[in-house]
Amino acid sequence: MTTFTSDGRPRGSQTLVFDVDGALLRSQSFFPFFMLVAFEGGSIFRALLLLLSFPILWVLDYELKLRAMVFVTFCGLRERDMEMVGRAVLPKFYLENMNLEVYEAVVSAGSRVVVTSVPRVMVEGFLKEYLNVEEVVGTELNTVGRRFTGLVSGSGLVPKATALKELFGEKNPDIGIGNSSISNHHLFLKLCKVL
């Protein structure tokens, strides 16, 4: 069954841009997913350290909180362990926490692009395998050898509006889905034709 937009175009011809954090997932915090990676990919001690840092995380702003969770979760973690957690553990929890309205919009769109501040290694496998997302732009993490350093690489967290401009150039995506209460979502949403 083909669905159509208000201007008569098939919805399958539209490009949809969305974020995982605050849009695709219902959870208002990505902390539980970092906890899963810390426990399953690391150890009980890494998970305990992340849990003990929670009161400090509570008072930090979005960017600092994300950087702190990345550091505690990924510092010294082997890439292979993250790949296993990303394939075997995280998809089950992402599926259970998925916003069904956003999911319906995602599967009805022709082209799907994700721009997120969450580390790309945590979401890319799920998005490409389960939702057929063509492009995932997320925060990149530094590695030394085959281990993560716990630090974000280069420019830091992905600036969503800048990433969209680089990806699409002058052509704006058709539909954008995000959460205006999350830092900087409004900047990338205003680049889309329909919110």
Side-chain angles (χ1 to χ4, degrees):
M1 180 174 146
T2 304
T3 57
F4 294 92
T5 64
S6 60
D7 63 358
R9 290 185 342 187
R11 189 166 304 280
S13 67
Q14 293 183 318
T15 301
L16 172 73
V17 177
F18 63 99
D19 193 354
V20 175
D21 188 18
L24 181 64
L25 300 179
R26 291 179 306 202
S27 176
Q28 295 299 314
S29 171
F30 223 76
F31 181 82
F33 304 106
F34 278 98
M35 182 61 82
L36 282 168
V37 173
F39 181 72
E40 296 287 342
S43 65
I44 187 75
F45 300 113
R46 183 184 303 268
L48 184 61
L49 181 61
L50 184 61
L51 185 62
L52 292 173
S53 70
F54 186 75
I56 296 167
L57 296 173
W58 188 259
V59 298
L60 298 176
D61 71 351
Y62 180 77
E63 185 172 337
L64 286 174
K65 183 184 309 183
L66 201 53
R67 284 176 179 268
M69 288 190 296
V70 164
F71 183 78
V72 172
T73 302
F74 285 96
C75 186
L77 189 68
R78 292 183 302 197
E79 288 179 342
R80 184 183 67 196
D81 292 338
M82 180 57 227
E83 289 172 14
M84 289 189 315
V85 171
R87 284 194 190 119
V89 178
L90 287 175
K92 175 189 183 299
F93 291 95
Y94 289 152
L95 288 169
E96 289 176 354
N97 199 348
M98 194 175 299
N99 182 335
L100 293 179
E101 293 171 349
V102 174
Y103 171 76
E104 289 171 359
V106 168
V107 296
S108 70
S111 178
R112 303 165 187 111
V113 175
V114 173
V115 180
T116 185
S117 297
V118 175
R120 183 186 50 78
V121 296
M122 287 182 70
V123 296
E124 184 175 43
F126 167 75
L127 293 169
K128 288 189 172 186
E129 188 172 326
Y130 288 84
L131 299 178
N132 296 323
V133 170
E134 287 84 24
E135 186 77 32
V136 179
V137 179
T139 298
E140 297 295 332
L141 304 179
N142 283 332
T143 58
V144 173
R146 302 288 294 160
R147 292 186 180 266
F148 292 103
T149 63
L151 303 173
V152 296
S153 64
S155 62
L157 300 180
V158 170
K160 295 174 186 140
T162 306
L164 264 185
K165 287 178 185 176
E166 288 175 5
L167 213 57
F168 290 97
E170 294 299 316
K171 181 183 180 256
N172 289 342
D174 297 307
I175 304 170
I177 300 176
N179 184 343
S180 60
S181 67
I182 292 182
S183 174
N184 298 329
H185 266 211
H186 65 282
L187 296 175
F188 97 87
L189 288 175
K190 73 179 184 181
L191 296 174
C192 301
K193 295 174 187 171
V194 178
L195 306 179

